[in-house]
Amino acid sequence: MPPYRKPISAAEVSDASSTRPDTGAICASGDSIGADNHRHDDKLDTPPDAVDVTFGIHIPLRDGVHLHANLYRPREQSAPLPAIFTLTPYSADNYHDCGMYFAAAGFAFLTVDVRGRGNSEGEFEPFLNEGQDGHDAVEWLATQPWCDGQVAMWGGSYAGFDQWATLRLAPPHLATVAPVASVGTGVDYPALNNITYTYVMQWLTFVGGRTPNNNLFRDQRHWVHQFRRHYLEERPFDQLDQVVGFPNPHFQEWIRHPATPLHWQRLLPTPAQFAAIDRPVLTLTGHYDDDQPGALYYYRQHMLHGTAAACDRHYLVIGPWDHPGTRTPQSQVGGLGFGPASRVDLKALHRDWYRWVMRAGDRPAFLRDRVAVYLTGAECWGYAPSLEAVTAGCRPLFLQSDGNGASSAFAAGDLVEAPSEVSGATGGATAGAQACGTAVHSVPANVVAAAGTVDSGTAVDVAPTMTVVADDAVTSSTGEVMENSGPNEAGNRTVMAPDTSTTGAIAPAPLRSWDEYAYDPRDLRPATIETEPFDNWITDQRYALNLFGNGVVYHSAPLPADTDIAGQFRLLLWLELDVPDTDFLATVYEILPDGGSIMLSQDVLRARYRHSLTEETFVTPGTVECYEFARFPFIARRLRRGSRLRLVIRCPNSIYWQKNRNSGGDVSRETAAEARTAHVRVYHDTDRPSRLEVPLAAPLWSEPADSPSSSSPASS
């Protein structure tokens, strides 16, 4: 698991191309949007004499408060123009380059401080006032002599939320919005699936006061230290603001509402408001965008409730980007490299969008259809008329294990295409001998592998079939190390053990009907692999290789051919717990033929919210239920021939996540004294066939990858 919510970069705080086309792919060769001659940093070459700047415009609001704005217009503007504005808590000055760019392109552009931030009046209450204030700003701007009555909005993250909050109130002069990486309040912030994270306090510190605390916010070593301190002192989550030195009423108010959708839904458009949206919308997000859940929530709700005509004017772009990359695409994210086609000139795309909608220009050439999706591995763009059309179907892979169990990446279970033939009644030879909560095999305590290192710190390439011999390695009765033989032709793994029969043959261990692991909230060993910030969070394997007995791992057989996936994974697990509540984290990886790893997607689930995010249903210990993990982020990738899929299931125990101590109490206020160890059984038999559903891509990407073949994740 990467640290949830990667740090905001300089690109984020200064955010940063007709007729219906044929479905197809754009690769870097031959398409101008991927050409290297585009600039993708925040310093745009706008001649200083091309733009007039007016500092300190005051926008009146209905309650008498005034917002501060800086106005950028083409020099010697003689006729009114469409106006574009961004509403930001990160200081209007940070968007100076954007103002210069869009003014030079023929628009009036305003950078506006939200209420209570920067030079604006009033009190800043995160998210609460932006819809009403945005509405008032639109209507005031439309009356200004330099505006032709058409007003648009621009921006990402918080400024993406602003746009939806404003659009839901339907100001008459709002011509279009282009929300990027939009925060979904109660969807992905300040919690994901009702599980919050320590980044919340990092962000609240960033926006504490009236001006951004940029240096403090970006000091990642400082924040790792603060989060480790909170974790190692075993403090309740509600004391996090005290630990970091910034007691905060917003933080305390937010954690008072653990069922986050109930508290935040008032800020989201209602079904009726989605149905009433009739303005063109351009939505952007990324595979690794922390706010992808929010961005796609807005998009899907509009598709569900909007009219056919309105939905036809809503375009969606999903690139290979992380959160800041949705404004300034980079050639590498988290250790994973992308082809030139990924580096779209997004400011030019927005410019062309506004020209199309407000100045009767041509539709941006990049928008060949209503949905554009980038396929990593192939390094191509594909197009479809809807997001559903991107996915052709799903392939179920069923969990299975033998006497080796599934306790680590080095002693993993299998993902197979047919359900297990083991009866739930018999449970296999090994299962009947194990009491719930007794680990069959735990990860050796002296193996601490981070970023491909094992124990001594020597770099290694770790493949799924690699055998690690350690203190508690599995041995036979004669003391021989029972090495993993690797996959057989069916992709199933066996443990080769001495056979006591007279033939001397080696027999595979019998299949079992369940695997199990234990999560002890008082186990602080995971902090040993979270001592410093790390950048390669997509390709780093430290979490998968260091479970500390808290988790199970399953591998598929090697893929016989390149395989395109696009959509959302879905995981159905039959689970038994002995506590009333705990949290789960499920992560899917591609394991390359050389043992390198690419994190594809992950989902989290709190057991008490397994049926609904708005109602608690505590677990009855000892019962077996099916848990559905259906909120994996969207991913699109060409999996390489010879790669495997890896599924890791565990309970989050990290400095970056709110810790569930399993007592069934208020998770934000649980203490270490209330902690209970959770023993988790994962069943996979004929009656309880746990499975991972893999989204298979529709044939939208027909062209070969433009990047050279390489086994390195950084260029894969």
Side-chain angles (χ1 to χ4, degrees), residues 549-561:
N550 169 23
V552 286
V553 183
Y554 301 88
H555 290 134
S556 74
L559 295 171

Side-chain angles (χ1 to χ4, degrees), residues 331-339 343 379 536 538-539 592 594 596-598 637 640 707-708 710-716:
S331 60
Q332 180 174 301
V333 172
L336 181 63
F338 309 119
R343 297 190 290 279
E379 308 310 324
N536 294 338
I538 295 178
T539 59
L592 302 173
D594 70 349
S597 173
I598 297 171
R637 179 163 177 79
R640 187 178 309 170
S707 59
S710 171
S711 61
S712 169
S715 59
S716 297

Side-chain angles (χ1 to χ4, degrees), residues 420-550:
S420 173
E421 297 180 358
V422 175
S423 168
T426 61
T430 309
Q434 299 294 331
C436 184
T438 303
V440 177
H441 176 63
S442 60
V443 178
N446 68 331
V447 176
V448 179
T453 65
V454 177
D455 200 32
S456 64
T458 304
V460 295
D461 288 326
V462 182
T465 56
M466 181 177 181
T467 300
V468 173
V469 181
D471 296 6
D472 57 350
V474 179
T475 59
S476 70
S477 59
T478 62
E480 298 175 64
V481 175
M482 296 158 53
E483 296 186 353
N484 190 318
S485 66
N488 59 24
E489 292 182 358
N492 302 326
R493 304 169 69 81
T494 58
V495 173
M496 307 304 291
D499 195 314
T500 58
S501 69
T502 56
T503 63
I506 302 296
L511 296 177
R512 53 190 289 128
S513 67
W514 50 262
D515 301 301
E516 64 183 358
Y517 66 91
Y519 158 50
D520 179 1
R522 301 206 64 177
D523 183 356
L524 304 182
R525 288 177 297 167
T528 62
I529 61 172
E530 296 178 325
T531 59
E532 294 286 342
F534 60 102
D535 295 327
N536 294 338
W537 50 271
I538 295 178
T539 59
D540 190 292
Q541 300 195 56
R542 71 185 67 195
Y543 292 108
L545 301 185
N546 293 280
L547 296 178
F548 303 101
N550 169 23

Side-chain angles (χ1 to χ4, degrees), residues 181-226:
S182 302
V183 173
T185 53
V187 178
D188 54 35
Y189 192 89
L192 180 67
N193 303 337
N194 291 343
I195 304 176
T196 190
Y197 33 82
T198 53
Y199 171 84
V200 167
M201 272 310 306
Q202 185 176 354
W203 184 81
L204 284 171
T205 304
F206 181 41
V207 295
R210 301 195 69 88
T211 59
N213 299 301
N214 289 321
N215 293 327
L216 174 61
F217 179 78
R218 294 175 182 154
D219 185 353
Q220 297 308 315
R221 294 187 65 188
H222 167 80
W223 289 106
V224 169
H225 170 75
Q226 295 298 325

Side-chain angles (χ1 to χ4, degrees), residues 230 235-242 251-252 255 668-669:
H230 174 262
R235 304 276 285 273
F237 192 76
D238 68 353
Q239 295 181 15
L240 177 62
D241 57 343
Q242 299 175 39
F251 175 75
Q252 294 298 327
I255 63 175
S668 290
R669 291 169 174 80

